[in-house]
Amino acid sequence: MPESETVAPTEFPRRMGKVAPRELALNGYTRYEQLTRVTASELLRIHGVGPKAIRILEEELAARGLAFAES
């Protein structure tokens, strides 16, 4: 089965690359609203999610009036 059929689609931008959105989806994060319940530090513990992905997600969340949970 092709990889695109095994991972849930996400709202996250393509500029994050392929790995971060895939790994976020595999960990149950596919929508921006879900990210408001988790801290950036928690997301950084997911393999494939690094500082660049967090920066992009912070920008996207802010554009929607949202933010990561506070630690």
Side-chain angles (χ1 to χ4, degrees), residues 7-69:
V7 177
T10 72
E11 294 181 332
F12 311 134
R14 289 182 171 216
R15 64 187 175 121
M16 284 179 56
K18 293 181 181 180
V19 176
R22 180 183 69 223
E23 294 301 320
L24 287 167
L26 289 172
N27 282 273
Y29 302 107
T30 57
R31 298 183 348 259
Y32 290 108
E33 182 181 305
Q34 294 169 315
L35 299 179
T36 64
R37 295 181 225 131
V38 64
T39 66
S41 297
E42 290 172 300
L43 293 177
L44 284 168
R45 292 185 201 127
I46 298 173
H47 171 77
V49 178
K52 177 183 174 183
I54 295 300
R55 185 181 69 250
I56 292 169
L57 290 171
E58 282 178 327
E59 292 169 0
E60 293 292 328
L61 286 167
R64 290 163 174 78
L66 303 171
F68 291 123

